[in-house]
Amino acid sequence: MNQLKKEDIKQEVFDLYDDYAHNKIGRRQFVERLSLYAAGSVTVGALLSFMSPNYRTTAEVPEDDVRVQSDYIMYDSPKGGGKIKGLLSLPKDTTTKVPGVIVVHENRGLNPYIEDVGRRTSLDGFISLAPDALTPLGGYPGNDDDGRTMQKKRDRNEMLEDFIAAYEYLKSHPNCNGKVGVVGFCFGGWISNMMAVKLDDLKAAVPFYGRQPNDEDAAKIKAPLLLQYADLDKRVNAGWEAYEKVLKANKIDYEAHFYPNVNHGFHNNTTPRYDKKAATLAWTRTIDFFKDKLI
């Protein structure tokens, strides 16, 4: 069988995967509906395998990269999950204090992709902390399907408190200069938006395709925002018009980018939703934004 290519997959399949990844349909429904797009050598199994994340060969900064020092730590989250595990990464042989960045996972816990993003952030000159909100349930289970199921069992506002506690931890870390921002993806995009609502001294927030706060909360934001959206992401983009209206009315510092012809999750290089051109540009903008606001 010829290897599947992204251009061979209909947009409806990407939309179907989005519904599955965000718990709108279960795995059985996903597989059943996926069968509608199987034909000839393109089997359901091939489609399922193609759409699933590949963590084996996609790390941009491997765990053993000598340029980065990464270790798991535990920090206190009194209002959230108690003790939370996170991956703390900083540039190797750092001798000066550097800015901090909280890296927030999607709706499936601290998987290898998010750990990689934490190391990438560190490689760009920051101390990063990527928490695992699944810690109270045993931590990321090793696969995204079970991770999504586990994360559904936690209250999202308690998880928000876990990431706020991570911010406080990182801000006072001896290797941090006290200036901290946040970047998050999907669920993490919502967390990033809400950290901007809750934290008056947050220095920068970069939500990737994240749900927007309600109007009352959005008006409280003081942190500069860099908002990254996927042009084909109708689900999340539906909230943008109202969000922008509040941002403008309250003179909140924001910059928004909509990347054409890409799907929700375009930064995640472990699935075919990944778009290298858009992801590279969005990440360059993210790092430039953090350097401007945190240094």
Side-chain angles (χ1 to χ4, degrees), residues 73 75-79 88 100-102 127 129 131 160-174 176-182 195 198-202:
I73 57 97
Y75 67 89
D76 293 326
S77 179
K79 297 180 182 179
L88 185 73
V101 176
I102 302 298
I127 178 172
L129 177 56
L160 173 58
E161 293 295 340
D162 293 335
F163 291 101
I164 289 174
Y167 166 84
E168 299 295 347
Y169 174 91
L170 193 58
K171 183 181 176 183
S172 61
H173 193 280
C176 183
N177 69 359
K179 297 180 179 180
V180 177
V182 60
M195 286 177 67
K198 298 285 187 178
L199 295 169
D200 290 343
D201 54 353
L202 183 71

Side-chain angles (χ1 to χ4, degrees), residues 118-230:
R119 293 190 295 269
R120 294 183 215 172
T121 305
S122 176
L123 198 59
D124 281 311
F126 303 89
I127 178 172
S128 71
L129 177 56
D132 186 359
L134 299 186
T135 304
L137 303 177
Y140 175 70
N143 69 85
D144 285 10
D145 283 351
D146 290 340
R148 278 191 294 268
T149 299
M150 289 172 65
Q151 191 158 319
K152 285 169 64 178
K153 297 177 182 179
R154 289 212 62 199
D155 179 86
R156 70 173 187 169
N157 290 307
E158 287 190 358
M159 289 188 282
L160 173 58
E161 293 295 340
D162 293 335
F163 291 101
I164 289 174
Y167 166 84
E168 299 295 347
Y169 174 91
L170 193 58
K171 183 181 176 183
S172 61
H173 193 280
N175 292 111
C176 183
N177 69 359
K179 297 180 179 180
V180 177
V182 60
V183 60
F185 306 86
C186 186
F187 163 79
W190 177 79
I191 290 287
S192 300
N193 276 317
M194 292 306 298
M195 286 177 67
V197 171
K198 298 285 187 178
L199 295 169
D200 290 343
D201 54 353
L202 183 71
K203 300 303 180 184
V206 186
F208 273 74
Y209 26 84
R211 289 277 192 175
Q212 303 83 2
N214 62 40
D215 291 355
E216 182 180 357
D217 281 339
K220 301 173 184 176
I221 292 174
K222 293 182 174 60
L225 302 173
L226 175 63
L227 302 150
Q228 314 270 32
Y229 290 107

Side-chain angles (χ1 to χ4, degrees), residues 77-92:
S77 179
K79 297 180 182 179
K83 289 283 189 179
I84 299 297
K85 178 183 176 180
L87 183 69
L88 185 73
S89 304
L90 64 158
K92 191 74 171 180

Side-chain angles (χ1 to χ4, degrees), residues 71-122:
D71 294 291
Y72 294 108
I73 57 97
M74 299 293 290
Y75 67 89
D76 293 326
S77 179
K79 297 180 182 179
K83 289 283 189 179
I84 299 297
K85 178 183 176 180
L87 183 69
L88 185 73
S89 304
L90 64 158
K92 191 74 171 180
D93 300 324
T94 299
T95 57
T96 60
K97 292 179 181 291
V98 295
V101 176
I102 302 298
V103 179
V104 189
H105 59 68
E106 305 147 306
N107 66 335
R108 59 213 69 174
L110 181 58
N111 61 23
Y113 157 63
I114 295 297
E115 291 190 350
D116 185 35
V117 173
R119 293 190 295 269
R120 294 183 215 172
T121 305
S122 176

Side-chain angles (χ1 to χ4, degrees), residues 195-295:
M195 286 177 67
V197 171
K198 298 285 187 178
L199 295 169
D200 290 343
D201 54 353
L202 183 71
K203 300 303 180 184
V206 186
F208 273 74
Y209 26 84
R211 289 277 192 175
Q212 303 83 2
N214 62 40
D215 291 355
E216 182 180 357
D217 281 339
K220 301 173 184 176
I221 292 174
K222 293 182 174 60
L225 302 173
L226 175 63
L227 302 150
Q228 314 270 32
Y229 290 107
D231 185 51
L232 299 177
D233 188 5
K234 296 178 182 178
R235 177 177 54 84
V236 170
N237 294 352
W240 168 241
E241 184 177 351
Y243 193 22
E244 184 179 38
K245 184 177 180 179
V246 176
L247 296 177
K248 286 182 175 179
N250 289 275
K251 296 181 171 56
I252 295 167
D253 181 3
Y254 80 94
E255 180 180 337
H257 297 282
F258 286 76
Y259 297 87
N261 301 312
V262 300
N263 284 285
H264 181 102
F266 71 83
H267 182 268
N268 186 333
N269 66 328
T270 72
T271 83
R273 296 186 297 175
Y274 173 62
D275 186 281
K276 184 176 182 178
K277 181 179 178 181
T280 300
L281 177 56
W283 192 246
T284 298
R285 285 170 169 165
T286 297
I287 295 303
D288 288 347
F289 183 71
F290 282 147
K291 288 181 176 179
D292 180 50
K293 303 301 182 183
L294 305 180
I295 296 178

